[in-house]
Amino acid sequence: MGPIGIFDSGYGGLTILEGIRNRLPQYDYIYLGDNARAPYGTRSFDVVYEFTLQAVKKLFEFGCPLVILGCNTASAKALRSIQQNYLPTAAPDRRVLGVIRPTAEVVGQMSHTGHIGVLATEGTIKSESYKLEITKLYPQCTVIGQACPMWVPLVECGEFDKPGADYFVKDSLDKLLAQDPLIDTIILGCTHFPLLLPKIRRYTPEGITLIPQGQYIAVSLEDYLHRHPEMNQRLTQGGTTQYLTSESTTKFRESASLFLKENITAQRVTLN
Ligand code: DGL
């Protein structure tokens, strides 16, 4: 038995942790941020796979029977290989889930025009994972992606609420909407982006629905645990959260406390 592991390249997955904990506060959680090597968004498939697998192994070492890749880039580039190539032989009794499929499931029901925009890292957009997952479920939908290469650095550096961020937020939104004026629903396909939500709202025309992921991932996880009682029974329920980081714990504590608006302590781990 053990806690639910949540992994992200940096701090962004804290928005997923928050969404999940709000809905499922009874479980124990371990959050792991690979802050020393973030961002992942511009890294190659091979490197994201290698780093993500190291993180998953670390969370397994800490006893997690279930790990959520709370990172779109890792979900896009590493999840399938981990599920198909690593788990069956190395850890057949553990599960790793991602954040793209659950988001794709809800978005098709929300759009009236069927034109869906995706804002994400370069890696997630290039992988076309959202387009593939959404059109598999909703073949009538058109999916348009726009990479936002500056948004993750703005969040990681704590500049997300400063005036300088406005330029980059407006620029990427304008580029997305210029590609297709029928877009009526936009997925914030990167777990860092909810931190920029006030600015994203400011520059999004009225009538367009924005989809941050945390709450939908929580609903999807709850549903998964109902459908998989054998996994649910293996999850400890003490309501605690432990934080791990590959960077300095002081830096992690300061930044993560801003994200979660609570005091936290973290433990440093080496990923290799
Ligand atoms: N938070 C990650 C995501 O959801 C990406 C951040 C990064 O580039 O490392 O895609």
Side-chain angles (χ1 to χ4, degrees), residues 7-16 31 34 37-43 48 69-76 99-100 119-124 130 149 152-153 156 188-193 213:
F7 165 68
D8 183 53
S9 57
Y11 300 109
L14 293 170
T15 64
I16 300 292
Y31 182 86
D34 188 7
R37 303 187 295 193
Y40 280 13
T42 47
R43 294 187 188 272
V48 172
L69 302 184
C71 173
N72 290 268
T73 311
S75 298
V99 288
I100 292 180
L119 297 168
T121 64
E122 194 186 312
T124 301
Y130 271 103
V152 170
E156 289 283 318
L188 303 186
C190 172
T191 53
H192 285 66
F193 293 178
Q213 299 175 292

Side-chain angles (χ1 to χ4, degrees), residues 90-208:
D93 58 334
R94 316 242 189 167
R95 291 292 172 270
V96 179
L97 305 174
V99 288
I100 292 180
R101 173 84 188 198
T103 312
E105 277 168 9
V106 292
V107 76
Q109 301 154 12
M110 290 186 159
S111 171
H112 299 294
T113 62
H115 290 242
I116 295 160
V118 181
L119 297 168
T121 64
E122 194 186 312
T124 301
I125 297 298
K126 276 199 182 141
S127 75
E128 302 218 311
S129 299
Y130 271 103
K131 191 178 272 186
L132 294 170
E133 289 293 344
I134 293 170
T135 51
K136 216 188 288 167
L137 297 166
Y138 307 99
Q140 74 286 3
C141 284
T142 305
V143 182
I144 301 99
Q146 176 64 47
C148 311
M150 288 304 293
W151 290 18
V152 170
L154 285 170
V155 172
E156 289 283 318
C157 298
E159 292 290 320
F160 55 90
D161 54 355
K162 305 290 187 306
D166 287 58
Y167 170 82
F168 296 104
V169 169
K170 183 173 181 324
D171 183 55
S172 297
L173 269 167
D174 288 350
K175 283 180 180 151
L176 174 71
L177 296 171
Q179 292 186 63
D180 183 346
L182 292 179
I183 291 173
D184 71 346
T185 308
I186 298 178
I187 296 173
L188 303 186
C190 172
T191 53
H192 285 66
F193 293 178
L195 273 291
L196 289 159
L197 202 49
K199 290 191 192 293
I200 297 171
R201 283 216 178 92
R202 189 178 308 159
Y203 297 110
T204 302
E206 261 181 49
I208 295 182

Side-chain angles (χ1 to χ4, degrees), residues 2-6 17 21 24-31 64-66 235-242:
I4 298 174
I6 298 182
L17 171 70
R21 256 189 342 192
L24 303 167
Q26 68 274 32
Y27 293 100
D28 292 308
Y29 297 95
I30 300 188
Y31 182 86
C64 300
L66 174 66
L235 300 173
T236 51
Q237 300 200 17
T240 65
T241 308
Q242 195 179 340

